[in-house]
Amino acid sequence: MKNFMIKISLSLTLLFSIVIYSKTVYGEEISEKNFQVIAHRGDSGNAPEHTMVSYELARRLGADYIEIDLGMTKDGQLIAIHDSTVDRTTDGNGRVNSLTLSQIKELDTGSWFNQQFPNKANPQYIGLKIPTLEEIIDHYKDTINYYIEVKRPEDNPGMADELLQVLNSRHLIENNIPRGKVIIQSSDAESLKYIHSQYPNLPLIQLGSYTNRMDLPEISKYAIGVGPELTTVNKTFIEKAHSNGLIVHCWTVNNQADMEKMIDWGADGIFTNYVGLAVNVKLADRTAPVIPTIYTISNQSTSIMGTAESKSTVYAWVGNKMLGKAVASNEKYSIKISKQKAGALVSVYSVDAAGNKSGSKTGKVVDRTAPVTPTINIISDQSTYIAGKAELNSKVFAWV
Ligand code: G3P
Ligand code: CA
């Protein structure tokens, strides 16, 4: 009976591993080189959102995906617009779904940007028109990757069907199209489940404003990933999503520190208004070791610790002598060398797994063997108490 239970348990473990593995590979096909830069409404930090100018800027700057929010006109046409009304981003007003496409086409969706961002204003933005989804696809065809949001389907019945019809008519969901050419995102789970039932291979992303409301096992039944709001994301959530076979694309990540944090935490991509910055951060060399922490920790040894690319070998030099080396794992390394004097210079350099030197840094030795100034308290009529830090196993004497 015991053997039988062990066999069952091993089979279940194997089955679970296969499910997780195949899901992960599926996600990797989409994210290909891991970190994807998704141009949020185009390069919308520098040009009016959801205009051909904004999309073109994003493409030229190297975005992996162009993000398009969908609105639906009164006469059922899909257009690229974020808000439910045209008030903020055009010279008109009214709800998108109460205006016909020809009424929408009369509006100027560039001038508001010049007024709101005078330091980025450009006369070419004046008079720009809201594009339809068909116009965008007819212009770019399969030369870009599309990341399309089914937005407010409750106000726009039939939006998902209309989207599938447009994609089909442009041959963007056929077997010979690389998986990931089009990703569909939505905060509406029902729309995603419906699309999944029609096209099980079409990659879907479940958007959400709060990570703690995302039921990852449930989402993994119909989507390849999640799109959480940046401020609710932490490393644990990303790891949890990955262990459920889901990739993670965070929105909206607009500064360098957050971009680096997302890369460090293992996110698979970001939505950003600043494509150029994100591409630079993505391509920056992060394999070189950082300035190490170097402590002389005993009379025998000095310890050197830092971060470097996993599987790279980090060498420690003093003067022209290589005194120690270690292979980094989990992006950390630790090398012990013979005791060095306080203030001595130690250099580290790393060689990646392919044998290429990836960078070097130098740091100063800090001596931690000497006891630090102690805390001295009279704690009773009988005794005075002396407490402080010193090298492990060293004897500390008190003199008066
Ligand atoms: O679609 C991801 C992100 O764009 C969600 O926010 O409001 O800009 O569409 P929103
Ligand atoms: Ca969006």
Side-chain angles (χ1 to χ4, degrees):
M1 183 63 185
K2 195 174 159 197
N3 279 348
F4 176 72
M5 288 310 288
I6 289 170
K7 273 185 193 159
I8 291 281
S9 148
L10 282 174
S11 308
L12 284 176
T13 309
L14 186 62
L15 184 66
F16 184 67
S17 309
I18 290 167
V19 170
I20 293 295
Y21 179 70
S22 60
K23 275 288 194 181
T24 306
V25 169
Y26 183 63
E28 276 171 3
E29 281 179 21
I30 307 302
S31 55
E32 200 180 310
K33 293 269 187 296
N34 301 325
F35 197 74
Q36 300 290 287
V37 175
I38 304 152
H40 186 240
R41 313 180 197 175
D43 194 49
S44 59
N46 293 301
E49 67 188 58
H50 290 317
T51 60
M52 295 307 283
V53 174
S54 171
Y55 300 147
E56 183 57 15
L57 194 52
R59 187 188 68 80
R60 288 188 184 182
L61 288 167
D64 296 296
Y65 280 90
I66 305 291
E67 195 235 2
I68 301 165
D69 294 311
L70 291 182
M72 205 170 190
T73 62
K74 187 177 176 185
D75 43 352
Q77 301 297 305
L78 294 180
I79 60 168
I81 190 164
H82 176 272
D83 299 1
S84 58
T85 73
V86 296
D87 302 6
R88 180 179 61 88
T89 56
T90 75
D91 55 350
N93 53 59
R95 292 186 67 78
V96 173
N97 60 10
S98 67
L99 298 166
T100 62
L101 182 59
S102 67
Q103 286 173 314
I104 297 264
K105 281 293 185 184
E106 282 167 21
L107 305 174
D108 169 349
T109 192
S111 295
W112 72 273
F113 184 89
N114 288 354
Q115 286 150 21
Q116 199 164 324
F117 306 105
N119 57 337
K120 294 180 181 174
N122 184 328
Q124 290 180 342
Y125 298 160
I126 299 168
L128 289 175
K129 298 296 174 201
I130 293 178
T132 65
L133 178 64
E134 288 173 322
E135 285 166 347
I136 300 166
I137 296 177
D138 288 345
H139 180 76
Y140 285 113
K141 304 197 166 60
D142 64 354
T143 64
I144 61 165
N145 296 323
Y146 301 90
Y147 208 119
I148 305 172
E149 180 171 353
V150 174
K151 227 170 175 54
R152 290 179 286 273
E154 65 283 3
D155 293 345
N156 301 294
M159 178 179 267
D161 275 321
E162 183 61 19
L163 168 60
L164 293 173
Q165 191 274 322
V166 170
L167 292 175
N168 255 322
S169 70
R170 267 66 182 174
H171 311 292
L172 281 177
I173 33 179
E174 289 173 0
N175 284 339
N176 58 341
I177 294 290
R179 190 185 273 167
K181 172 59 59 187
V182 178
I183 293 180
I184 297 180
Q185 46 161 343
S186 187
S187 53
D188 183 61
E190 292 315 308
S191 294
L192 293 179
K193 286 177 188 172
Y194 172 69
I195 294 169
H196 186 64
S197 72
Q198 303 294 303
Y199 294 94
N201 283 329
L202 195 51
L204 308 176
I205 295 286
Q206 176 70 62
L207 298 174
S209 299
Y210 302 96
T211 50
N212 62 3
R213 292 188 196 164
M214 286 180 168
D215 182 344
L216 298 175
E218 171 62 20
I219 292 169
S220 72
K221 290 176 188 163
Y222 58 88
I224 62 139
V226 285
E229 197 274 323
L230 170 68
T231 59
T232 72
V233 173
N234 57 32
K235 193 166 189 270
T236 309
F237 172 78
I238 293 173
E239 287 167 354
K240 219 163 117 189
H242 286 167
S243 69
N244 277 277
L246 295 163
I247 60 172
V248 180
H249 290 162
C250 296
W251 48 278
T252 304
V253 187
N254 285 333
N255 68 61
Q256 184 165 343
D258 285 335
M259 290 171 183
E260 287 173 350
K261 192 167 71 180
M262 287 301 115
I263 292 172
D264 288 346
W265 285 356
D268 303 277
I270 53 167
F271 295 77
T272 182
N273 299 350
Y274 299 93
V275 172
L277 175 65
V279 169
N280 279 340
V281 171
K282 170 182 172 173
L283 297 181
D285 181 5
R286 299 164 63 80
T287 57
V290 298
I291 295 171
T293 313
I294 308 172
Y295 293 140
T296 292
I297 50 171
S298 77
N299 279 332
Q300 280 79 44
S301 58
T302 293
S303 168
I304 303 158
M305 290 162 290
T307 58
E309 184 184 15
S310 290
K311 294 190 182 154
S312 63
T313 305
V314 183
Y315 297 85
W317 290 71
V318 180
N320 58 3
K321 263 195 187 159
M322 199 273 286
L323 294 182
K325 64 179 181 176
V327 176
S329 87
N330 290 328
E331 298 186 354
K332 289 193 180 85
Y333 68 89
S334 170
I335 308 169
K336 223 174 234 183
I337 60 173
S338 56
K339 182 189 172 187
Q340 304 297 312
K341 284 187 190 141
L345 292 177
V346 176
S347 298
V348 289
Y349 79 81
S350 66
V351 174
D352 67 21
N356 305 309
K357 183 175 173 184
S358 51
S360 64
K361 289 275 166 31
T362 297
K364 272 186 183 172
V365 174
V366 175
D367 187 353
R368 295 188 68 175
T369 58
V372 297
T373 310
T375 312
I376 308 171
N377 291 314
I378 295 172
I379 53 171
S380 77
D381 285 348
Q382 281 78 43
S383 58
T384 297
Y385 184 76
I386 305 163
K389 287 181 184 168
E391 180 189 342
L392 197 64
N393 295 329
S394 63
K395 282 186 182 154
V396 181
F397 300 87
W399 290 70
V400 180

Short mmCIF file of all heavy atoms in Angstrom, two decimals, residues 22-32 36 65 145-146 172-184 196 199-204 224 247:
data_model
loop_
_atom_site.label_atom_id
_atom_site.label_comp_id
_atom_site.label_asym_id
_atom_site.label_seq_id
_atom_site.Cartn_x
_atom_site.Cartn_y
_atom_site.Cartn_z
N SER A 22 5.09 22.75 -19.72
CA SER A 22 4.56 23.10 -21.03
C SER A 22 3.95 24.50 -21.01
O SER A 22 4.07 25.24 -21.96
CB SER A 22 3.54 22.07 -21.49
OG SER A 22 2.48 22.02 -20.57
N LYS A 23 3.35 24.88 -19.87
CA LYS A 23 2.80 26.23 -19.76
C LYS A 23 3.91 27.25 -19.86
O LYS A 23 3.79 28.27 -20.53
CB LYS A 23 2.11 26.39 -18.40
CG LYS A 23 0.69 25.91 -18.39
CD LYS A 23 -0.18 26.85 -19.16
CE LYS A 23 -1.64 26.58 -18.89
NZ LYS A 23 -2.49 27.48 -19.65
N THR A 24 5.03 26.98 -19.17
CA THR A 24 6.12 27.94 -19.14
C THR A 24 6.70 28.12 -20.54
O THR A 24 6.93 29.22 -20.99
CB THR A 24 7.21 27.47 -18.17
OG1 THR A 24 6.58 27.24 -16.93
CG2 THR A 24 8.29 28.49 -18.00
N VAL A 25 6.88 26.98 -21.25
CA VAL A 25 7.41 27.08 -22.60
C VAL A 25 6.46 27.90 -23.46
O VAL A 25 6.88 28.74 -24.24
CB VAL A 25 7.61 25.66 -23.19
CG1 VAL A 25 7.89 25.72 -24.67
CG2 VAL A 25 8.75 24.97 -22.47
N TYR A 26 5.17 27.69 -23.29
CA TYR A 26 4.17 28.43 -24.05
C TYR A 26 4.38 29.93 -23.84
O TYR A 26 4.42 30.71 -24.77
CB TYR A 26 2.79 28.00 -23.58
CG TYR A 26 1.65 28.63 -24.32
CD1 TYR A 26 1.48 28.40 -25.67
CD2 TYR A 26 0.74 29.44 -23.66
CE1 TYR A 26 0.42 28.96 -26.36
CE2 TYR A 26 -0.33 30.00 -24.33
CZ TYR A 26 -0.48 29.75 -25.68
OH TYR A 26 -1.51 30.31 -26.34
N GLY A 27 4.55 30.31 -22.56
CA GLY A 27 4.79 31.72 -22.26
C GLY A 27 6.08 32.22 -22.85
O GLY A 27 6.15 33.32 -23.37
N GLU A 28 7.11 31.36 -22.81
CA GLU A 28 8.40 31.80 -23.32
C GLU A 28 8.37 32.06 -24.82
O GLU A 28 9.09 32.89 -25.33
CB GLU A 28 9.47 30.75 -23.00
CG GLU A 28 10.02 30.96 -21.60
CD GLU A 28 10.92 29.83 -21.16
OE1 GLU A 28 11.17 28.92 -21.95
OE2 GLU A 28 11.34 29.88 -19.99
N GLU A 29 7.50 31.31 -25.54
CA GLU A 29 7.38 31.58 -26.97
C GLU A 29 6.92 33.00 -27.20
O GLU A 29 7.32 33.67 -28.12
CB GLU A 29 6.36 30.64 -27.60
CG GLU A 29 6.91 29.27 -27.85
CD GLU A 29 5.86 28.36 -28.43
OE1 GLU A 29 4.88 28.86 -28.98
OE2 GLU A 29 6.02 27.16 -28.31
N ILE A 30 6.05 33.48 -26.30
CA ILE A 30 5.55 34.83 -26.43
C ILE A 30 6.64 35.82 -26.04
O ILE A 30 6.91 36.77 -26.74
CB ILE A 30 4.34 35.07 -25.49
CG1 ILE A 30 3.26 34.02 -25.71
CG2 ILE A 30 3.79 36.48 -25.65
CD1 ILE A 30 2.73 33.94 -27.10
N SER A 31 7.26 35.57 -24.90
CA SER A 31 8.20 36.59 -24.41
C SER A 31 9.58 36.42 -25.05
O SER A 31 10.39 37.29 -24.93
CB SER A 31 8.29 36.55 -22.89
OG SER A 31 8.61 35.27 -22.45
N GLU A 32 9.78 35.33 -25.76
CA GLU A 32 10.97 35.12 -26.58
C GLU A 32 12.24 35.49 -25.85
O GLU A 32 12.86 34.64 -25.23
CB GLU A 32 10.81 35.93 -27.87
CG GLU A 32 11.70 35.45 -28.99
CD GLU A 32 11.49 36.30 -30.22
OE1 GLU A 32 10.32 36.50 -30.61
OE2 GLU A 32 12.47 36.80 -30.76
N GLN A 36 9.71 42.05 -22.36
CA GLN A 36 9.04 42.70 -23.48
C GLN A 36 8.68 44.15 -23.15
O GLN A 36 8.14 44.43 -22.09
CB GLN A 36 7.74 41.94 -23.80
CG GLN A 36 7.96 40.49 -24.17
CD GLN A 36 8.62 40.34 -25.53
OE1 GLN A 36 8.00 40.56 -26.55
NE2 GLN A 36 9.91 39.99 -25.54
N TYR A 65 5.95 45.43 -28.62
CA TYR A 65 4.52 45.41 -28.89
C TYR A 65 3.98 46.84 -28.91
O TYR A 65 4.47 47.71 -28.18
CB TYR A 65 3.74 44.64 -27.80
CG TYR A 65 3.80 43.15 -27.97
CD1 TYR A 65 4.81 42.40 -27.39
CD2 TYR A 65 2.84 42.50 -28.74
CE1 TYR A 65 4.86 41.03 -27.56
CE2 TYR A 65 2.89 41.11 -28.92
CZ TYR A 65 3.89 40.39 -28.33
OH TYR A 65 3.96 39.04 -28.51
N ASN A 145 4.03 43.76 -33.64
CA ASN A 145 3.23 42.89 -32.77
C ASN A 145 2.17 43.74 -32.08
O ASN A 145 2.45 44.85 -31.60
CB ASN A 145 4.12 42.23 -31.72
CG ASN A 145 5.14 41.30 -32.35
OD1 ASN A 145 4.84 40.63 -33.34
ND2 ASN A 145 6.34 41.28 -31.81
N TYR A 146 0.95 43.21 -32.05
CA TYR A 146 -0.19 43.96 -31.52
C TYR A 146 -0.59 43.44 -30.13
O TYR A 146 -0.64 42.23 -29.92
CB TYR A 146 -1.40 43.80 -32.44
CG TYR A 146 -1.16 44.27 -33.86
CD1 TYR A 146 -0.67 43.40 -34.83
CD2 TYR A 146 -1.45 45.58 -34.24
CE1 TYR A 146 -0.46 43.81 -36.14
CE2 TYR A 146 -1.26 46.00 -35.56
CZ TYR A 146 -0.76 45.11 -36.49
OH TYR A 146 -0.55 45.53 -37.78
N LEU A 172 -4.68 37.58 -39.21
CA LEU A 172 -3.75 37.68 -38.07
C LEU A 172 -3.98 36.60 -37.01
O LEU A 172 -3.26 36.59 -36.01
CB LEU A 172 -3.83 39.07 -37.43
CG LEU A 172 -3.07 40.16 -38.19
CD1 LEU A 172 -3.26 41.52 -37.53
CD2 LEU A 172 -1.59 39.84 -38.29
N ILE A 173 -4.97 35.74 -37.23
CA ILE A 173 -5.08 34.62 -36.29
C ILE A 173 -5.17 33.32 -37.07
O ILE A 173 -6.07 32.52 -36.87
CB ILE A 173 -6.24 34.74 -35.27
CG1 ILE A 173 -7.45 35.45 -35.86
CG2 ILE A 173 -5.80 35.33 -33.99
CD1 ILE A 173 -8.62 35.55 -34.88
N GLU A 174 -4.19 33.11 -37.91
CA GLU A 174 -4.14 31.86 -38.65
C GLU A 174 -2.95 31.05 -38.18
O GLU A 174 -2.05 31.58 -37.53
CB GLU A 174 -4.04 32.16 -40.15
CG GLU A 174 -5.35 32.72 -40.66
CD GLU A 174 -5.29 33.19 -42.10
OE1 GLU A 174 -4.21 33.09 -42.71
OE2 GLU A 174 -6.32 33.67 -42.58
N ASN A 175 -2.95 29.78 -38.54
CA ASN A 175 -1.91 28.88 -38.02
C ASN A 175 -0.49 29.29 -38.39
O ASN A 175 0.45 29.03 -37.66
CB ASN A 175 -2.17 27.45 -38.52
CG ASN A 175 -3.31 26.83 -37.74
OD1 ASN A 175 -3.62 27.28 -36.64
ND2 ASN A 175 -3.94 25.81 -38.32
N ASN A 176 -0.32 29.91 -39.56
CA ASN A 176 1.04 30.25 -39.98
C ASN A 176 1.54 31.56 -39.36
O ASN A 176 2.68 31.95 -39.55
CB ASN A 176 1.12 30.35 -41.51
CG ASN A 176 0.15 31.39 -42.05
OD1 ASN A 176 -0.79 31.77 -41.37
ND2 ASN A 176 0.40 31.86 -43.25
N ILE A 177 0.69 32.24 -38.62
CA ILE A 177 1.10 33.48 -37.95
C ILE A 177 1.81 33.10 -36.66
O ILE A 177 1.29 32.31 -35.88
CB ILE A 177 -0.14 34.36 -37.63
CG1 ILE A 177 -0.79 34.85 -38.92
CG2 ILE A 177 0.20 35.54 -36.73
CD1 ILE A 177 0.00 35.86 -39.70
N PRO A 178 3.02 33.66 -36.39
CA PRO A 178 3.72 33.29 -35.15
C PRO A 178 2.86 33.60 -33.93
O PRO A 178 2.21 34.64 -33.86
CB PRO A 178 4.96 34.19 -35.16
CG PRO A 178 5.08 34.71 -36.56
CD PRO A 178 3.72 34.66 -37.18
N ARG A 179 2.84 32.64 -33.02
CA ARG A 179 2.08 32.84 -31.78
C ARG A 179 2.67 34.05 -31.05
O ARG A 179 3.89 34.16 -30.89
CB ARG A 179 2.20 31.62 -30.91
CG ARG A 179 1.27 31.62 -29.74
CD ARG A 179 1.55 30.43 -28.88
NE ARG A 179 0.81 29.27 -29.32
CZ ARG A 179 1.09 28.03 -28.89
NH1 ARG A 179 2.07 27.82 -28.07
NH2 ARG A 179 0.36 27.02 -29.30
N GLY A 180 1.82 34.98 -30.68
CA GLY A 180 2.33 36.18 -30.03
C GLY A 180 2.34 37.38 -30.96
O GLY A 180 2.59 38.49 -30.53
N LYS A 181 2.05 37.19 -32.24
CA LYS A 181 1.92 38.34 -33.15
C LYS A 181 0.83 39.27 -32.63
O LYS A 181 0.93 40.48 -32.68
CB LYS A 181 1.60 37.81 -34.56
CG LYS A 181 1.24 38.80 -35.62
CD LYS A 181 2.29 39.83 -35.91
CE LYS A 181 3.64 39.33 -36.36
NZ LYS A 181 4.64 40.41 -36.45
N VAL A 182 -0.23 38.63 -32.11
CA VAL A 182 -1.32 39.40 -31.48
C VAL A 182 -1.53 38.84 -30.08
O VAL A 182 -1.67 37.62 -29.91
CB VAL A 182 -2.65 39.26 -32.26
CG1 VAL A 182 -3.76 40.03 -31.57
CG2 VAL A 182 -2.48 39.71 -33.70
N ILE A 183 -1.54 39.71 -29.09
CA ILE A 183 -1.95 39.33 -27.74
C ILE A 183 -3.21 40.12 -27.42
O ILE A 183 -3.30 41.31 -27.74
CB ILE A 183 -0.85 39.66 -26.70
CG1 ILE A 183 0.38 38.76 -26.93
CG2 ILE A 183 -1.37 39.47 -25.27
CD1 ILE A 183 1.52 39.00 -25.94
N ILE A 184 -4.17 39.45 -26.81
CA ILE A 184 -5.39 40.17 -26.41
C ILE A 184 -5.42 40.23 -24.89
O ILE A 184 -5.16 39.24 -24.19
CB ILE A 184 -6.64 39.48 -26.97
CG1 ILE A 184 -6.57 39.55 -28.51
CG2 ILE A 184 -7.91 40.17 -26.45
CD1 ILE A 184 -7.73 38.92 -29.21
N HIS A 196 -11.09 32.64 -25.67
CA HIS A 196 -10.35 31.38 -25.52
C HIS A 196 -11.17 30.21 -26.09
O HIS A 196 -10.61 29.29 -26.70
CB HIS A 196 -10.03 31.15 -24.04
CG HIS A 196 -9.15 29.96 -23.81
ND1 HIS A 196 -7.86 29.88 -24.28
CD2 HIS A 196 -9.39 28.78 -23.17
CE1 HIS A 196 -7.34 28.71 -23.93
NE2 HIS A 196 -8.25 28.03 -23.26
N TYR A 199 -10.80 30.64 -29.94
CA TYR A 199 -9.43 30.47 -30.45
C TYR A 199 -8.50 30.10 -29.29
O TYR A 199 -7.83 30.96 -28.72
CB TYR A 199 -8.94 31.78 -31.12
CG TYR A 199 -9.71 32.13 -32.37
CD1 TYR A 199 -10.81 32.99 -32.30
CD2 TYR A 199 -9.35 31.57 -33.59
CE1 TYR A 199 -11.53 33.28 -33.45
CE2 TYR A 199 -10.08 31.86 -34.73
CZ TYR A 199 -11.17 32.72 -34.66
OH TYR A 199 -11.88 33.00 -35.79
N PRO A 200 -8.45 28.83 -28.95
CA PRO A 200 -7.67 28.41 -27.77
C PRO A 200 -6.18 28.74 -27.85
O PRO A 200 -5.52 28.80 -26.83
CB PRO A 200 -7.88 26.89 -27.73
CG PRO A 200 -9.06 26.62 -28.59
CD PRO A 200 -9.15 27.72 -29.60
N ASN A 201 -5.66 28.94 -29.07
CA ASN A 201 -4.22 29.24 -29.18
C ASN A 201 -3.90 30.72 -29.16
O ASN A 201 -2.73 31.10 -29.21
CB ASN A 201 -3.64 28.65 -30.47
CG ASN A 201 -3.43 27.16 -30.30
OD1 ASN A 201 -3.16 26.70 -29.18
ND2 ASN A 201 -3.58 26.41 -31.37
N LEU A 202 -4.91 31.56 -29.16
CA LEU A 202 -4.67 33.00 -29.15
C LEU A 202 -4.23 33.41 -27.74
O LEU A 202 -4.95 33.17 -26.78
CB LEU A 202 -5.97 33.71 -29.54
CG LEU A 202 -5.92 35.17 -29.96
CD1 LEU A 202 -4.88 35.45 -31.02
CD2 LEU A 202 -7.29 35.61 -30.46
N PRO A 203 -3.04 34.00 -27.60
CA PRO A 203 -2.56 34.33 -26.25
C PRO A 203 -3.34 35.47 -25.60
O PRO A 203 -3.55 36.52 -26.20
CB PRO A 203 -1.09 34.73 -26.47
CG PRO A 203 -0.92 34.91 -27.92
CD PRO A 203 -2.03 34.24 -28.64
N LEU A 204 -3.73 35.24 -24.36
CA LEU A 204 -4.57 36.21 -23.63
C LEU A 204 -3.88 36.61 -22.34
O LEU A 204 -3.22 35.79 -21.70
CB LEU A 204 -5.92 35.57 -23.31
CG LEU A 204 -6.68 34.94 -24.48
CD1 LEU A 204 -7.96 34.27 -23.98
CD2 LEU A 204 -7.00 35.99 -25.54
N ILE A 224 -2.42 33.18 -20.88
CA ILE A 224 -1.00 32.80 -20.77
C ILE A 224 -0.30 33.69 -19.74
O ILE A 224 0.85 33.47 -19.41
CB ILE A 224 -0.26 32.92 -22.11
CG1 ILE A 224 -0.27 34.36 -22.62
CG2 ILE A 224 -0.84 31.96 -23.13
CD1 ILE A 224 1.01 34.80 -23.20
N ILE A 247 2.90 34.24 -17.46
CA ILE A 247 3.88 35.32 -17.58
C ILE A 247 3.28 36.58 -16.95
O ILE A 247 2.06 36.66 -16.71
CB ILE A 247 4.32 35.56 -19.04
CG1 ILE A 247 3.13 35.95 -19.94
CG2 ILE A 247 5.03 34.34 -19.59
CD1 ILE A 247 3.56 36.37 -21.34
#
